Amino acid sequence: MSAERVRVVRGWEWARPERPARREVVAAVPELDQAKPPLLFVPGFGHGAWAFAEHWLGHAAGRGFPAYALSLRGHGGSEPAPGATLRSYTHDVVQVAASLPRRAVLVGHGAGARVVAHALARYPARAAVLVAPVLGGWGTLGTALRRNPAGTVPAVFGAGLRLNRRQLFSRELPDADARRHLGRLGRAGRRAQWQLLTGRQPEPAVGRPPVLVLGSPDDRVVPPAALTRAARRYASAPLLFPGMGHDLMLDARWREPVDAILDWLEKDPAPAAG
Amino acid sequence: MSSSTDLGRPDPDPTVAPTRDGRPVSDRGDTVCVIGAGASGLTAVKNLREAGFGVDCYERETGVGGAWNWRHDRSPVYASTHLISSRPFTQFPDFPMPDDWPDYPHHAQLLSYFERYADHFDLRQHVWFGTEVVRVEPVEGDRWDVTTRSTGGYGPERTSRYAAVVLANGHNWSPKLPRYEGLEQFRGEVMHASSYKDPAQLRGKRVLVVGAGNTGCDIAVEAAQQASRCWHSTRRGYWYAPKYVFGRPADQVNDTLLALRVPLRVRQWLYHWTLRLTVGDLTRFGLPRPDHRVYETHPIANSQLVYYVGHGRVSPVPDVARFGDRTVVLADGSEIDPELVVFATGYLPRFEFLEGRVLGDADGSGRPRLWLNAFAAGHPTLAVVGLVQPDSGIFPISHWQSVLFARLLTLRATRPDRAVAFGKRVAAGLGERYSARVKDSTRHWFEVGHADYLRALQRALHDLEDK
């Protein structure tokens, strides 16, 4: 990505700035400030801040990291926004990141990782973590059609994408929990959903943030090849957690990936080359 | 005040070499010196740190924010100062202002924005507060000796040697005062706009405001509400653009046309047409007819001036000819009797710590000859950040100038050929302009059109980065 050029002139963005929206931000802050960078968790399409509030926020705060999760507009407790675009979601992430007291680590899950990749071009994050990243492109649609045709075909015609239990969670997660989580899923804006397939690729990240990619080889939304591709884009290899579903933060063994992220951050990863 | 034992700040290296006149010098190695912790200085510190450089920033005041910190004695802001360019054009490109702020935030919001920027990127540890720069001298190897002392001249001077220097000392603090016959004998009160802080200073007085810049218009509007009488003296006619057009900030509407690549002539026609529809014929109000087309002088964004002229609260008058004992004689021969004269006649950039020839200003005219308003010929490790008078916000320009400088410094080590080519480009492009034809005045020589200028900066960045 370093070969791409920076963009200075953004005429349209200046002329038509994104409309403000009320955003839900859930926080878990350690009692003692240990000068660790704040984490900002960005949920994927259909998910809200609740997905991280379930386990990861508290766990990160317990290990001394101030942890925040936001609901993109139209999701969770944020303002409804049926016309939202990827740019609106990116705007939400950058706004919340800039409001935090210190330079933040952006953690994006699923399509939230694509939003984070866009946000990295607009905000010099301390580091970034892409969890089971759905970075878009027509391959994403192909996988979704193959794995979950009934939930995907209506989305092609403008309805919401419906993800099923087998895609999101492993068999280890109790049924009651899985049903509870599935019941909370919402949907992304129609335009944003399309832009995931057709939209422009993210611009190069500013501020040379180190990037970690992690996921599961048994994820039925993001195939292992896509994980490898995503990691290669940031000059690394993916960290894998076999036996888990797409929603690593809600699955039965949620502790392992979040600990891996926090361990990586504690090692103080070096900025990317270039 | 900071001390050398502050956490995260290494003590300067021991003395390694004396200056030409025998003073001891501490060698700061590859560290870059940034002068000033206002908007331009802060973004320079942040971008140089991001590129991996050590930075020492010297700030004569005890807080960040420069001109936008009203507690600073060099701050030109007054109680009612608001932005004149809307948020998207004013914020740093990688640190947006909150989107629930108004389109044109107040100066107190700006200060809080800079304080948050400094904290967010942990910049304060690199700033030596209460320290002013006395001298900056080029030495061998493209390095710089920077002599500092405590603000106000207390304590001994200290000289440190740096790999590079960023001048971000601002250009809106040294008042430009016009000379008029008889001004010394005038027995009324005279002040420069830099001393104007609060409308109470105008209350109940007969006030003459001289100058039609944005500050002059703002003060005239305040005088209209507070003073017993207000005259507004302007040398020529101006276009008073409203801050809102079609319910949107006027600069956003203008940039919609720029984004659509509408040619300048058509934009000027549309602008004139819109002003005719909204503001109307200004000569009907007694204002002089503009002697230039829009975009040819710095735009004045003020929705209220014409309103108060229409209510008779502001009387437009021509240029001042001379001062009498208690009166002011105007260019048309008429006389007025103000109690208070406010000169909103602008500021002159000053680099009193640096020999003029370094910035290509050997004759001391106060107009440096630079490329991109930032780079001096023959000094590849020097950059001036924020020395622009744009038709938009300055902070994004300062951001990209300092990004370009940081990349240039990196390339001096990794791709010296590229850095040399950049130096040649600087020498060839000195004095280049980045705007439509503008009126010649001390106020306009460093005027830039934001789109033209940022495009030129983008080209320079791409030239540096090309494989």
Side-chain angles (χ1 to χ4, degrees):
Chain A
M1 294 186 75
S2 57
E4 293 173 46
R5 292 166 151 200
V6 291
R7 204 166 131 226
V8 173
V9 180
R10 295 177 183 276
W12 271 122
E13 288 176 38
W14 299 331
R16 314 296 297 179
E18 200 55 57
R19 188 181 60 80
R22 186 176 41 76
R23 288 175 285 264
E24 176 189 39
V25 179
V26 182
V29 180
E31 281 178 25
L32 273 177
D33 182 6
Q34 300 175 32
K36 292 185 176 175
L39 309 180
L40 176 59
F41 292 98
V42 180
F45 288 2
H47 295 66
W50 55 265
F52 293 104
E54 189 81 12
H55 305 297
W56 281 18
L57 283 191
H59 189 75
R63 284 189 54 177
F65 287 87
Y68 304 82
L70 90 143
S71 297
L72 300 171
R73 61 183 67 192
H75 291 75
S78 288
E79 194 176 305
T85 59
L86 274 183
R87 184 181 143 195
S88 326
Y89 294 155
T90 305
H91 174 84
D92 288 341
V93 173
V94 176
Q95 278 285 318
V96 176
S99 75
L100 299 179
R102 281 200 293 271
R103 211 170 142 190
V105 176
L106 302 184
V107 186
H109 170 257
R114 167 76 178 257
V115 178
V116 163
H118 281 292
L120 290 178
R122 309 309 307 275
Y123 169 78
R126 171 77 187 76
V129 183
L130 310 183
V131 183
V134 176
L135 295 181
W138 292 103
T140 307
L141 179 65
T143 311
L145 281 171
R146 225 172 25 253
R147 298 268 165 83
N148 177 18
T152 308
V153 170
V156 174
F157 297 99
L161 180 70
R162 283 204 319 273
L163 297 168
N164 60 35
R165 184 204 195 286
R166 286 194 61 207
Q167 282 179 298
L168 296 183
F169 311 112
S170 68
R171 289 177 196 283
E172 289 171 56
L173 186 73
D175 267 347
D177 286 345
R179 269 201 303 277
R180 185 162 57 87
H181 299 325
L182 284 170
R184 299 184 77 170
L185 288 179
R187 60 161 299 186
R190 184 180 304 151
R191 289 173 67 195
Q193 219 164 251
W194 267 111
Q195 284 174 339
L196 198 56
L197 306 177
T198 60
R200 280 217 300 221
Q201 283 302 302
E203 294 167 26
V206 292
R208 302 187 306 155
V211 179
L212 173 71
V213 175
L214 51 84
S216 163
D218 302 309
D219 185 335
R220 293 179 66 79
V221 175
V222 184
L227 275 178
T228 309
R229 255 199 320 277
R232 227 180 252 155
R233 191 161 160 174
Y234 295 97
S236 69
L239 204 56
L240 297 176
F241 296 86
M244 296 187 77
H246 180 65
D247 278 1
L248 285 89
M249 65 284 187
L250 293 170
D251 215 338
R253 284 158 44 209
W254 58 266
R255 204 179 297 265
E256 294 171 29
V258 69
D259 272 332
I261 294 171
L262 301 178
D263 290 345
W264 179 71
L265 288 173
E266 274 173 350
K267 276 187 220 146
D268 199 18
Chain B
M1 200 192 113
S2 306
S3 77
S4 62
T5 52
D6 280 357
L7 195 66
R9 188 205 307 278
D11 274 335
D13 286 347
T15 301
V16 291
T19 59
R20 272 172 290 182
D21 52 0
R23 281 171 289 121
V25 178
S26 309
D27 195 326
R28 299 292 286 125
D30 291 334
T31 306
V32 181
C33 172
V34 174
I35 300 172
S40 298
L42 285 176
T43 192
V45 175
K46 181 228 159 222
N47 287 313
L48 286 160
R49 289 289 305 141
E50 210 164 272
F53 292 98
V55 179
D56 285 349
C57 173
Y58 296 112
E59 168 54 54
R60 64 191 303 281
E61 303 282 354
T62 51
V64 300
W68 289 94
N69 192 328
W70 61 273
R71 296 180 196 93
H72 293 176
D73 65 356
R74 287 181 171 182
S75 165
V77 305
Y78 35 90
S80 61
T81 305
H82 280 256
L83 284 180
I84 48 171
S85 55
S86 70
R87 270 190 294 112
F89 297 90
T90 319
Q91 63 200 4
F92 293 120
D94 57 355
F95 191 74
M97 292 181 190
D99 62 2
D100 56 357
W101 275 11
D103 293 319
Y104 297 102
H106 184 248
H107 72 79
Q109 288 173 302
L110 260 280
L111 177 58
S112 77
Y113 174 67
F114 296 127
E115 286 176 336
R116 258 186 343 97
Y117 183 81
D119 292 334
H120 193 87
F121 296 110
D122 207 8
L123 305 180
R124 288 183 207 262
Q125 58 166 321
H126 306 289
V127 185
W128 296 74
F129 288 107
T131 306
E132 65 185 0
V133 172
V134 186
R135 263 184 310 280
V136 176
E137 297 162 300
V139 290
E140 71 278 3
D142 294 328
R143 306 189 73 206
W144 299 87
D145 280 355
V146 178
T147 304
T148 56
R149 69 171 174 217
S150 226
T151 305
Y154 307 109
E157 293 184 356
R158 199 163 81 171
T159 303
S160 309
R161 185 159 294 178
Y162 289 96
V165 170
V166 172
L167 309 178
N169 58 324
H171 58 261
N172 281 333
W173 54 268
S174 177
K176 184 175 80 176
L177 275 166
R179 288 167 196 228
Y180 290 107
E181 184 191 329
L183 182 57
E184 294 76 25
Q185 282 78 50
F186 180 65
R187 293 173 67 185
E189 196 185 338
V190 174
M191 66 156 80
H192 186 268
S194 58
S195 316
Y196 174 71
K197 294 290 162 199
D198 193 278
Q201 292 168 273
L202 309 170
R203 201 159 292 153
K205 295 180 181 164
R206 295 190 304 278
V207 179
L208 166 65
V209 181
V210 180
N214 283 292
T215 302
C217 293
D218 279 358
I219 296 176
V221 164
E222 301 222 325
Q225 300 165 68
Q226 303 291 338
S228 64
R229 181 86 210 264
C230 172
W231 296 276
H232 187 206
S233 162
T234 59
R235 202 176 308 161
R236 61 168 72 95
Y238 288 92
W239 298 98
Y240 299 99
K243 276 187 150 176
Y244 284 91
V245 188
F246 311 123
R248 296 185 57 79
D251 51 6
Q252 294 179 15
V253 175
N254 182 52
D255 266 50
T256 306
L257 299 178
L258 276 179
L260 292 169
R261 297 193 176 270
V262 177
L264 174 68
R265 281 283 166 196
V266 180
R267 278 190 291 127
Q268 283 178 324
W269 181 82
L270 280 171
Y271 205 142
H272 286 163
W273 180 74
T274 312
L275 286 185
R276 186 158 287 276
L277 274 181
T278 51
V279 185
D281 179 7
L282 291 177
T283 57
R284 201 192 142 264
F285 293 85
L287 287 160
R289 185 182 298 283
D291 59 355
H292 55 280
R293 299 177 69 78
V294 290
Y295 301 120
E296 288 180 2
T297 58
H298 189 77
I300 297 159
N302 193 310
S303 302
Q304 297 185 76
L305 186 76
V306 177
Y307 174 88
Y308 282 111
V309 170
H311 284 62
R313 297 297 303 161
V314 174
S315 311
V317 293
D319 202 8
V320 172
R322 61 181 182 278
F323 280 78
D325 190 25
R326 295 216 172 259
T327 57
V328 176
V329 181
L330 303 167
D332 62 358
S334 58
E335 264 188 30
I336 54 173
D337 58 342
E339 294 166 275
L340 167 65
V341 179
V342 184
F343 285 112
T345 42
Y347 298 84
L348 287 172
R350 276 181 62 200
F351 303 92
E352 74 271 44
F353 43 74
L354 188 65
E355 270 191 52
R357 64 183 166 73
V358 175
L359 296 178
D361 178 26
D363 59 358
S365 68
R367 297 187 186 193
R369 265 178 69 75
L370 305 167
W371 183 54
L372 283 171
N373 289 34
F375 301 99
H379 296 289
T381 52
L382 177 72
V384 188
V385 170
L387 183 60
V388 284
Q389 188 75 49
D391 56 355
S392 187
I394 291 185
F395 319 138
I397 289 177
S398 299
H399 167 88
W400 289 112
Q401 285 176 330
S402 53
V403 166
L404 178 60
F405 188 53
R407 297 203 178 172
L408 176 67
L409 291 181
T410 307
L411 281 184
R412 276 172 61 80
T414 56
R415 294 283 306 274
D417 55 319
R418 288 249 165 236
V420 168
F422 186 87
K424 286 182 184 154
R425 184 72 194 83
V426 171
L430 291 179
E432 214 169 80
R433 301 295 302 261
Y434 310 93
S435 64
R437 186 174 66 87
V438 289
K439 288 273 159 192
D440 189 42
S441 101
T442 50
R443 185 161 148 243
H444 295 124
W445 69 267
F446 58 138
E447 181 94 29
V448 302
H450 70 285
D452 292 340
Y453 182 82
L454 287 172
R455 249 182 236 121
L457 256 179
Q458 181 163 303
R459 274 196 302 276
L461 264 167
H462 290 175
D463 287 347
L464 266 189
E465 287 170 350
D466 275 344
K467 297 288 166 197

